[in-house]
Amino acid sequence: VQLVESGGGRVQPGGSLRLSCVASGSGNIFSTYDMAWYRQNPGKKRELVAGITSGGRTNYKDSVKGRFTISRDRAKNTMYLQMNSLKPEDTAVYYCYADGTWLGLSDYWGQGTQVTVSS
């Protein structure tokens, strides 16, 4: 499985960005793997931002609830993170993650995309 993120950039507080994660590999990835977006700042632990299970259940970090939306398009093998009302504390490198460990498979990370929220 390969994961490639895009859509990061610099935006002013209150602005929006949409991150994309294109997944490639054998089989129907979104039917097999639970997927998630994580973020990390230098010197800090990587933290879960939002997740979507293979069955479609979603969960969010408390601080992004109501502002971020995770979704996926099976036909395009793409997962999205719509981020609205961005705050400076949302600044981080955002990573796409595929988790197959619950099935005895591997897990995979994308290379990350930088999101900077600053005036």
Side-chain angles (χ1 to χ4, degrees), residues 30 33 35 52-56 70-74 78-80:
F30 290 155
Y33 291 84
M35 304 292 295
I52 183 166
T53 68
S54 56
I70 189 171
S71 63
R72 63 190 180 192
D73 184 331
R74 292 180 184 273
T78 302
M79 179 177 67
Y80 303 99

Side-chain angles (χ1 to χ4, degrees), residues 97-112:
Y97 176 64
D99 180 12
T101 58
W102 63 288
L103 288 172
L105 303 174
S106 296
D107 60 346
Y108 301 91
W109 291 95
Q111 83 287 354

Side-chain angles (χ1 to χ4, degrees), residues 78-114:
T78 302
M79 179 177 67
Y80 303 99
L81 185 67
Q82 178 66 45
M83 306 185 294
N84 298 328
S85 301
L86 282 161
K87 303 176 181 180
E89 51 263 42
D90 295 317
T91 295
V93 178
Y94 283 70
Y95 296 90
C96 177
Y97 176 64
D99 180 12
T101 58
W102 63 288
L103 288 172
L105 303 174
S106 296
D107 60 346
Y108 301 91
W109 291 95
Q111 83 287 354
T113 185
Q114 176 71 48

Side-chain angles (χ1 to χ4, degrees), residues 39-47 88-93 95:
R39 67 188 182 190
Q40 188 174 26
N41 279 301
K44 293 192 175 181
K45 189 177 179 180
R46 195 169 292 188
E47 61 179 10
E89 51 263 42
D90 295 317
T91 295
V93 178
Y95 296 90

